[in-house]
mmCIF file of all heavy atoms in Angstrom:
data_model
loop_
_atom_site.group_PDB
_atom_site.id
_atom_site.type_symbol
_atom_site.label_atom_id
_atom_site.label_comp_id
_atom_site.label_asym_id
_atom_site.label_seq_id
_atom_site.Cartn_x
_atom_site.Cartn_y
_atom_site.Cartn_z
ATOM 1 N N ILE Y 1 202.764 70.192 162.408
ATOM 2 C CA ILE Y 1 201.658 69.899 161.506
ATOM 3 C C ILE Y 1 201.372 68.408 161.560
ATOM 4 O O ILE Y 1 202.283 67.584 161.612
ATOM 5 C CB ILE Y 1 201.961 70.355 160.072
ATOM 6 C CG1 ILE Y 1 201.694 71.857 159.911
ATOM 7 C CG2 ILE Y 1 201.135 69.579 159.042
ATOM 8 C CD1 ILE Y 1 202.057 72.416 158.566
ATOM 9 N N THR Y 2 200.086 68.059 161.518
ATOM 10 C CA THR Y 2 199.642 66.691 161.302
ATOM 11 C C THR Y 2 198.775 66.686 160.046
ATOM 12 O O THR Y 2 197.835 67.479 159.931
ATOM 13 C CB THR Y 2 198.850 66.163 162.493
ATOM 14 O OG1 THR Y 2 199.662 66.184 163.670
ATOM 15 C CG2 THR Y 2 198.434 64.699 162.238
ATOM 16 N N TYR Y 3 199.091 65.786 159.119
ATOM 17 C CA TYR Y 3 198.399 65.758 157.841
ATOM 18 C C TYR Y 3 197.875 64.346 157.594
ATOM 19 O O TYR Y 3 198.550 63.344 157.873
ATOM 20 C CB TYR Y 3 199.346 66.169 156.710
ATOM 21 C CG TYR Y 3 198.795 65.953 155.318
ATOM 22 C CD1 TYR Y 3 197.921 66.879 154.740
ATOM 23 C CD2 TYR Y 3 199.160 64.846 154.558
ATOM 24 C CE1 TYR Y 3 197.430 66.696 153.455
ATOM 25 C CE2 TYR Y 3 198.680 64.664 153.275
ATOM 26 C CZ TYR Y 3 197.794 65.592 152.745
ATOM 27 O OH TYR Y 3 197.310 65.403 151.459
ATOM 28 N N GLU Y 4 196.643 64.229 157.067
ATOM 29 C CA GLU Y 4 196.044 62.944 156.742
ATOM 30 C C GLU Y 4 195.462 62.991 155.329
ATOM 31 O O GLU Y 4 194.959 64.009 154.865
ATOM 32 C CB GLU Y 4 194.914 62.612 157.721
ATOM 33 C CG GLU Y 4 195.368 62.483 159.171
ATOM 34 C CD GLU Y 4 194.202 62.197 160.119
ATOM 35 O OE1 GLU Y 4 193.428 61.289 159.816
ATOM 36 O OE2 GLU Y 4 194.087 62.907 161.141
ATOM 37 N N MET Y 5 195.533 61.823 154.660
ATOM 38 C CA MET Y 5 194.899 61.660 153.360
ATOM 39 C C MET Y 5 194.283 60.281 153.265
ATOM 40 O O MET Y 5 194.875 59.289 153.732
ATOM 41 C CB MET Y 5 195.896 61.847 152.223
ATOM 42 C CG MET Y 5 195.288 61.601 150.831
ATOM 43 S SD MET Y 5 196.462 61.640 149.459
ATOM 44 C CE MET Y 5 196.741 63.398 149.281
ATOM 45 N N GLU Y 6 193.084 60.206 152.663
ATOM 46 C CA GLU Y 6 192.435 58.953 152.348
ATOM 47 C C GLU Y 6 192.041 58.925 150.881
ATOM 48 O O GLU Y 6 191.593 59.920 150.336
ATOM 49 C CB GLU Y 6 191.164 58.743 153.191
ATOM 50 C CG GLU Y 6 191.403 58.327 154.626
ATOM 51 C CD GLU Y 6 190.083 57.971 155.327
ATOM 52 O OE1 GLU Y 6 189.015 58.056 154.691
ATOM 53 O OE2 GLU Y 6 190.155 57.591 156.509
ATOM 54 N N VAL Y 7 192.229 57.778 150.232
ATOM 55 C CA VAL Y 7 191.750 57.550 148.890
ATOM 56 C C VAL Y 7 190.773 56.378 148.980
ATOM 57 O O VAL Y 7 191.127 55.321 149.467
ATOM 58 C CB VAL Y 7 192.898 57.251 147.902
ATOM 59 C CG1 VAL Y 7 192.342 56.995 146.505
ATOM 60 C CG2 VAL Y 7 193.870 58.404 147.882
ATOM 61 N N TYR Y 8 189.567 56.578 148.465
ATOM 62 C CA TYR Y 8 188.507 55.574 148.635
ATOM 63 C C TYR Y 8 187.718 55.419 147.356
ATOM 64 O O TYR Y 8 187.736 56.294 146.463
ATOM 65 C CB TYR Y 8 187.576 55.978 149.782
ATOM 66 C CG TYR Y 8 186.855 57.285 149.561
ATOM 67 C CD1 TYR Y 8 185.556 57.329 149.044
ATOM 68 C CD2 TYR Y 8 187.458 58.508 149.865
ATOM 69 C CE1 TYR Y 8 184.889 58.505 148.829
ATOM 70 C CE2 TYR Y 8 186.792 59.713 149.653
ATOM 71 C CZ TYR Y 8 185.513 59.707 149.121
ATOM 72 O OH TYR Y 8 184.856 60.910 148.916
ATOM 73 N N GLU Y 9 187.021 54.328 147.242
ATOM 74 C CA GLU Y 9 186.183 54.068 146.075
ATOM 75 C C GLU Y 9 184.907 54.921 146.119
ATOM 76 O O GLU Y 9 184.228 54.965 147.137
ATOM 77 C CB GLU Y 9 185.800 52.594 145.996
ATOM 78 C CG GLU Y 9 185.121 52.187 144.702
ATOM 79 C CD GLU Y 9 184.886 50.705 144.622
ATOM 80 O OE1 GLU Y 9 184.367 50.135 145.599
ATOM 81 O OE2 GLU Y 9 185.244 50.072 143.593
ATOM 82 N N ASN Y 10 184.617 55.594 145.026
ATOM 83 C CA ASN Y 10 183.423 56.428 144.934
ATOM 84 C C ASN Y 10 182.901 56.378 143.504
ATOM 85 O O ASN Y 10 183.539 56.912 142.593
ATOM 86 C CB ASN Y 10 183.716 57.872 145.351
ATOM 87 C CG ASN Y 10 182.438 58.684 145.508
ATOM 88 O OD1 ASN Y 10 181.480 58.579 144.733
ATOM 89 N ND2 ASN Y 10 182.426 59.569 146.504
ATOM 90 N N GLN Y 11 181.785 55.750 143.296
ATOM 91 C CA GLN Y 11 181.223 55.523 141.974
ATOM 92 C C GLN Y 11 180.672 56.811 141.365
ATOM 93 O O GLN Y 11 180.313 56.829 140.167
ATOM 94 C CB GLN Y 11 180.113 54.475 142.014
ATOM 95 C CG GLN Y 11 180.580 53.109 142.497
ATOM 96 C CD GLN Y 11 181.576 52.459 141.545
ATOM 97 O OE1 GLN Y 11 181.522 52.676 140.338
ATOM 98 N NE2 GLN Y 11 182.490 51.657 142.096
ATOM 99 N N ASP Y 12 180.597 57.882 142.117
ATOM 100 C CA ASP Y 12 180.034 59.139 141.579
ATOM 101 C C ASP Y 12 181.009 59.898 140.695
ATOM 102 O O ASP Y 12 180.611 60.846 140.020
ATOM 103 C CB ASP Y 12 179.621 60.052 142.743
ATOM 104 C CG ASP Y 12 178.449 59.486 143.541
ATOM 105 O OD1 ASP Y 12 177.715 58.659 142.981
ATOM 106 O OD2 ASP Y 12 178.318 59.849 144.714
ATOM 107 N N PHE Y 13 182.276 59.483 140.694
ATOM 108 C CA PHE Y 13 183.286 60.175 139.898
ATOM 109 C C PHE Y 13 183.727 59.320 138.716
ATOM 110 O O PHE Y 13 183.652 58.085 138.774
ATOM 111 C CB PHE Y 13 184.488 60.549 140.761
ATOM 112 C CG PHE Y 13 184.159 61.473 141.903
ATOM 113 C CD1 PHE Y 13 184.266 61.015 143.215
ATOM 114 C CD2 PHE Y 13 183.716 62.746 141.672
ATOM 115 C CE1 PHE Y 13 183.957 61.861 144.263
ATOM 116 C CE2 PHE Y 13 183.393 63.589 142.722
ATOM 117 C CZ PHE Y 13 183.507 63.148 144.009
ATOM 118 N N ALA Y 14 184.237 59.994 137.693
ATOM 119 C CA ALA Y 14 184.640 59.287 136.482
ATOM 120 C C ALA Y 14 185.763 58.292 136.766
ATOM 121 O O ALA Y 14 185.795 57.205 136.229
ATOM 122 C CB ALA Y 14 185.083 60.318 135.416
ATOM 123 N N GLY Y 15 186.710 58.702 137.601
ATOM 124 C CA GLY Y 15 187.806 57.805 137.972
ATOM 125 C C GLY Y 15 187.433 56.830 139.051
ATOM 126 O O GLY Y 15 188.255 56.000 139.434
ATOM 127 N N LYS Y 16 186.193 56.908 139.553
ATOM 128 C CA LYS Y 16 185.642 56.030 140.575
ATOM 129 C C LYS Y 16 186.439 56.006 141.879
ATOM 130 O O LYS Y 16 186.556 54.992 142.564
ATOM 131 C CB LYS Y 16 185.494 54.598 140.022
ATOM 132 C CG LYS Y 16 184.567 54.500 138.830
ATOM 133 C CD LYS Y 16 184.398 53.075 138.350
ATOM 134 C CE LYS Y 16 183.407 52.995 137.184
ATOM 135 N NZ LYS Y 16 183.259 51.609 136.675
ATOM 136 N N ALA Y 17 187.034 57.131 142.228
ATOM 137 C CA ALA Y 17 187.755 57.254 143.490
ATOM 138 C C ALA Y 17 187.608 58.674 143.991
ATOM 139 O O ALA Y 17 187.487 59.634 143.233
ATOM 140 C CB ALA Y 17 189.230 56.911 143.344
ATOM 141 N N GLY Y 18 187.539 58.780 145.346
ATOM 142 C CA GLY Y 18 187.477 60.074 145.996
ATOM 143 C C GLY Y 18 188.657 60.301 146.896
ATOM 144 O O GLY Y 18 189.417 59.364 147.192
ATOM 145 N N CYS Y 19 188.837 61.524 147.333
ATOM 146 C CA CYS Y 19 189.994 61.895 148.157
ATOM 147 C C CYS Y 19 189.553 62.747 149.319
ATOM 148 O O CYS Y 19 188.755 63.698 149.170
ATOM 149 C CB CYS Y 19 191.022 62.630 147.300
ATOM 150 S SG CYS Y 19 192.488 63.174 148.228
ATOM 151 N N LYS Y 20 190.055 62.429 150.500
ATOM 152 C CA LYS Y 20 189.845 63.248 151.696
ATOM 153 C C LYS Y 20 191.202 63.666 152.237
ATOM 154 O O LYS Y 20 192.140 62.868 152.303
ATOM 155 C CB LYS Y 20 189.093 62.468 152.772
ATOM 156 C CG LYS Y 20 187.637 62.113 152.417
ATOM 157 C CD LYS Y 20 187.015 61.347 153.576
ATOM 158 C CE LYS Y 20 185.566 60.994 153.262
ATOM 159 N NZ LYS Y 20 184.927 60.226 154.375
ATOM 160 N N GLU Y 21 191.294 64.920 152.635
ATOM 161 C CA GLU Y 21 192.526 65.447 153.234
ATOM 162 C C GLU Y 21 192.179 66.277 154.480
ATOM 163 O O GLU Y 21 191.150 66.940 154.535
ATOM 164 C CB GLU Y 21 193.262 66.354 152.259
ATOM 165 C CG GLU Y 21 193.795 65.679 151.013
ATOM 166 C CD GLU Y 21 194.420 66.671 150.072
ATOM 167 O OE1 GLU Y 21 193.668 67.233 149.243
ATOM 168 O OE2 GLU Y 21 195.641 66.898 150.154
ATOM 169 N N LYS Y 22 193.078 66.231 155.436
ATOM 170 C CA LYS Y 22 192.883 67.026 156.654
ATOM 171 C C LYS Y 22 194.276 67.438 157.185
ATOM 172 O O LYS Y 22 195.212 66.638 157.161
ATOM 173 C CB LYS Y 22 192.150 66.204 157.741
ATOM 174 C CG LYS Y 22 191.846 66.973 159.010
ATOM 175 C CD LYS Y 22 191.287 66.035 160.077
ATOM 176 C CE LYS Y 22 189.957 65.398 159.644
ATOM 177 N NZ LYS Y 22 189.420 64.483 160.685
ATOM 178 N N ILE Y 23 194.355 68.678 157.638
ATOM 179 C CA ILE Y 23 195.617 69.168 158.190
ATOM 180 C C ILE Y 23 195.343 69.936 159.481
ATOM 181 O O ILE Y 23 194.378 70.706 159.563
ATOM 182 C CB ILE Y 23 196.380 70.065 157.169
ATOM 183 C CG1 ILE Y 23 197.811 70.310 157.628
ATOM 184 C CG2 ILE Y 23 195.634 71.366 156.904
ATOM 185 C CD1 ILE Y 23 198.682 70.904 156.532
ATOM 186 N N ASN Y 24 196.144 69.696 160.496
ATOM 187 C CA ASN Y 24 196.127 70.446 161.762
ATOM 188 C C ASN Y 24 197.397 71.266 161.851
ATOM 189 O O ASN Y 24 198.504 70.701 161.778
ATOM 190 C CB ASN Y 24 196.001 69.500 162.947
ATOM 191 C CG ASN Y 24 194.612 68.916 163.061
ATOM 192 O OD1 ASN Y 24 193.636 69.614 163.320
ATOM 193 N ND2 ASN Y 24 194.501 67.625 162.873
ATOM 194 N N ILE Y 25 197.256 72.561 162.010
ATOM 195 C CA ILE Y 25 198.384 73.510 162.035
ATOM 196 C C ILE Y 25 198.496 74.099 163.441
ATOM 197 O O ILE Y 25 197.544 74.668 163.961
ATOM 198 C CB ILE Y 25 198.185 74.634 161.013
ATOM 199 C CG1 ILE Y 25 197.806 74.046 159.637
ATOM 200 C CG2 ILE Y 25 199.411 75.507 160.923
ATOM 201 C CD1 ILE Y 25 197.211 75.068 158.687
ATOM 202 N N ASN Y 26 199.668 74.011 164.010
ATOM 203 C CA ASN Y 26 199.889 74.514 165.361
ATOM 204 C C ASN Y 26 201.174 75.324 165.409
ATOM 205 O O ASN Y 26 202.271 74.758 165.405
ATOM 206 C CB ASN Y 26 199.947 73.373 166.387
ATOM 207 C CG ASN Y 26 200.157 73.866 167.795
ATOM 208 O OD1 ASN Y 26 199.851 75.015 168.128
ATOM 209 N ND2 ASN Y 26 200.709 73.013 168.619
ATOM 210 N N LEU Y 27 201.082 76.641 165.396
ATOM 211 C CA LEU Y 27 202.229 77.505 165.577
ATOM 212 C C LEU Y 27 202.596 77.538 167.071
ATOM 213 O O LEU Y 27 201.736 77.652 167.920
ATOM 214 C CB LEU Y 27 201.971 78.915 165.077
ATOM 215 C CG LEU Y 27 201.894 79.114 163.566
ATOM 216 C CD1 LEU Y 27 201.456 80.522 163.263
ATOM 217 C CD2 LEU Y 27 203.235 78.845 162.898
ATOM 218 N N PHE Y 28 203.911 77.431 167.368
ATOM 219 C CA PHE Y 28 204.335 77.404 168.746
ATOM 220 C C PHE Y 28 204.001 78.671 169.493
ATOM 221 O O PHE Y 28 203.792 78.681 170.703
ATOM 222 C CB PHE Y 28 205.836 77.107 168.830
ATOM 223 C CG PHE Y 28 206.207 75.713 168.380
ATOM 224 C CD1 PHE Y 28 207.363 75.506 167.659
ATOM 225 C CD2 PHE Y 28 205.396 74.655 168.653
ATOM 226 C CE1 PHE Y 28 207.703 74.228 167.249
ATOM 227 C CE2 PHE Y 28 205.705 73.361 168.237
ATOM 228 C CZ PHE Y 28 206.869 73.144 167.517
ATOM 229 N N GLU Y 29 203.951 79.804 168.781
ATOM 230 C CA GLU Y 29 203.652 81.089 169.400
ATOM 231 C C GLU Y 29 202.151 81.332 169.547
ATOM 232 O O GLU Y 29 201.754 82.326 170.145
ATOM 233 C CB GLU Y 29 204.267 82.216 168.602
ATOM 234 C CG GLU Y 29 203.729 82.318 167.181
ATOM 235 C CD GLU Y 29 204.427 83.372 166.343
ATOM 236 O OE1 GLU Y 29 205.580 83.703 166.665
ATOM 237 O OE2 GLU Y 29 203.817 83.880 165.410
ATOM 238 N N VAL Y 30 201.323 80.401 169.022
ATOM 239 C CA VAL Y 30 199.868 80.546 169.092
ATOM 240 C C VAL Y 30 199.304 79.322 169.791
ATOM 241 O O VAL Y 30 199.642 78.177 169.461
ATOM 242 C CB VAL Y 30 199.244 80.694 167.703
ATOM 243 C CG1 VAL Y 30 197.726 80.825 167.792
ATOM 244 C CG2 VAL Y 30 199.832 81.896 166.971
ATOM 245 N N VAL Y 31 198.437 79.521 170.746
ATOM 246 C CA VAL Y 31 197.863 78.411 171.510
ATOM 247 C C VAL Y 31 196.891 77.588 170.672
ATOM 248 O O VAL Y 31 196.848 76.365 170.735
ATOM 249 C CB VAL Y 31 197.143 78.937 172.775
ATOM 250 C CG1 VAL Y 31 196.490 77.799 173.523
ATOM 251 C CG2 VAL Y 31 198.132 79.678 173.658
ATOM 252 N N LYS Y 32 196.089 78.237 169.840
ATOM 253 C CA LYS Y 32 195.013 77.586 169.101
ATOM 254 C C LYS Y 32 195.549 76.774 167.932
ATOM 255 O O LYS Y 32 196.439 77.185 167.197
ATOM 256 C CB LYS Y 32 194.025 78.635 168.585
ATOM 257 C CG LYS Y 32 192.807 78.057 167.880
ATOM 258 C CD LYS Y 32 191.884 79.176 167.400
ATOM 259 C CE LYS Y 32 190.682 78.588 166.665
ATOM 260 N NZ LYS Y 32 189.777 79.667 166.176
ATOM 261 N N THR Y 33 194.987 75.561 167.754
ATOM 262 C CA THR Y 33 195.274 74.706 166.595
ATOM 263 C C THR Y 33 194.254 74.953 165.517
ATOM 264 O O THR Y 33 193.056 74.974 165.755
ATOM 265 C CB THR Y 33 195.275 73.230 166.984
ATOM 266 O OG1 THR Y 33 196.286 72.993 167.974
ATOM 267 C CG2 THR Y 33 195.535 72.343 165.791
#
């Protein structure tokens, strides 16, 4: 697995921060990620 997270300033939210997450899942028995 490869996992990423970003926390950034975003004035549209009450806490003035947004969050981005991404995960890549690769089972050894399956070719597709």
Side-chain angles (χ1 to χ4, degrees):
I1 279 176
T2 301
Y3 171 81
E4 298 178 50
M5 177 186 284
E6 283 188 359
V7 179
Y8 62 96
E9 189 175 50
N10 191 321
Q11 299 295 329
D12 294 336
F13 299 113
K16 298 183 179 179
C19 179
K20 293 180 179 179
E21 296 175 273
K22 183 188 298 180
I23 192 167
N24 287 293
I25 310 163
N26 181 24
L27 288 173
F28 293 142
E29 62 184 26
V30 180
V31 177
K32 184 180 179 181
T33 299

